[in-house]
Amino acid sequence: MADKTNRSISIAAAPERVMDVIADYDAYPQWVAAAKSVEVLSVGANGRAEQVRFVLDAGMVKDTYVLEFDWAADGRSVRWELVSGEIQKAQSGSYTLVGEPDGSTTVTYELTVDLNIPMIGLFKRKAEKAITDTALKELKKRVEG
């Protein structure tokens, strides 16, 4: 798999509030522009989603895929892997939250996507950067709004 794209943002809220927004998949279509529908398929013993199906429409990129989530016991990070997808053959990612002394949270988003269609590395990295930047900005707006 290719190199990970790694982006961070500061959000004016406690880590618990940020993680609650990240974990509320049912609400994603309300604030994630590309998420046309999101369905929690299974829930783990911790009460958080274990498998989730996403229908994504980001203009030229459309996909239906299922991710499996692994939630850290401390509530400060979540990792995921692709279970199935139409145009993706692999996806791994994570959100890591660090509480700051001023009460804000630094959120780091790592993402690696491998598609079934050929894509020049430069374009792939630009697409991953756009995805992570947009996701972090939308998350910030949702939490702080």
Side-chain angles (χ1 to χ4, degrees):
M1 209 178 274
D3 295 334
K4 288 185 180 186
T5 297
N6 184 317
R7 297 277 180 258
S8 295
I9 198 167
S10 178
I11 297 179
E16 296 77 17
R17 168 76 180 121
V18 176
M19 190 57 80
D20 285 347
V21 171
I22 291 170
D24 186 6
Y25 295 106
D26 292 330
Y28 274 39
Q30 298 170 20
W31 62 275
V32 177
K36 296 308 162 201
S37 73
V38 180
E39 178 186 4
V40 175
L41 302 176
S42 64
V43 176
N46 61 1
R48 299 274 196 199
E50 199 170 64
Q51 285 198 355
V52 180
R53 177 184 297 115
F54 296 84
V55 177
L56 179 78
D57 184 348
M60 292 188 61
V61 177
K62 296 173 177 40
D63 195 14
T64 298
Y65 57 96
V66 175
L67 299 178
E68 184 164 286
F69 294 88
D70 181 20
W71 301 88
D74 67 1
R76 299 292 174 104
S77 68
V78 59
R79 298 190 167 284
W80 62 87
E81 295 289 334
L82 182 73
V83 174
S84 64
E86 292 175 355
I87 67 167
Q88 298 178 69
K89 61 181 172 183
Q91 180 187 143
S92 62
S94 67
Y95 280 110
T96 304
L97 283 54
V98 176
E100 302 298 341
D102 66 359
S104 68
T105 300
T106 299
V107 180
T108 301
Y109 183 10
E110 287 188 356
L111 180 67
T112 304
V113 177
D114 198 3
L115 302 176
N116 288 319
I117 54 175
M119 184 178 276
I120 296 171
L122 174 65
F123 293 125
K124 183 175 172 293
R125 285 187 296 280
K126 281 187 175 188
E128 286 177 350
K129 180 187 180 304
I131 290 166
T132 54
D133 285 350
T134 300
L136 288 171
K137 287 174 187 171
E138 288 177 329
L139 177 63
K140 180 180 178 73
K141 184 177 178 183
R142 177 70 173 193
V143 173
E144 293 180 355

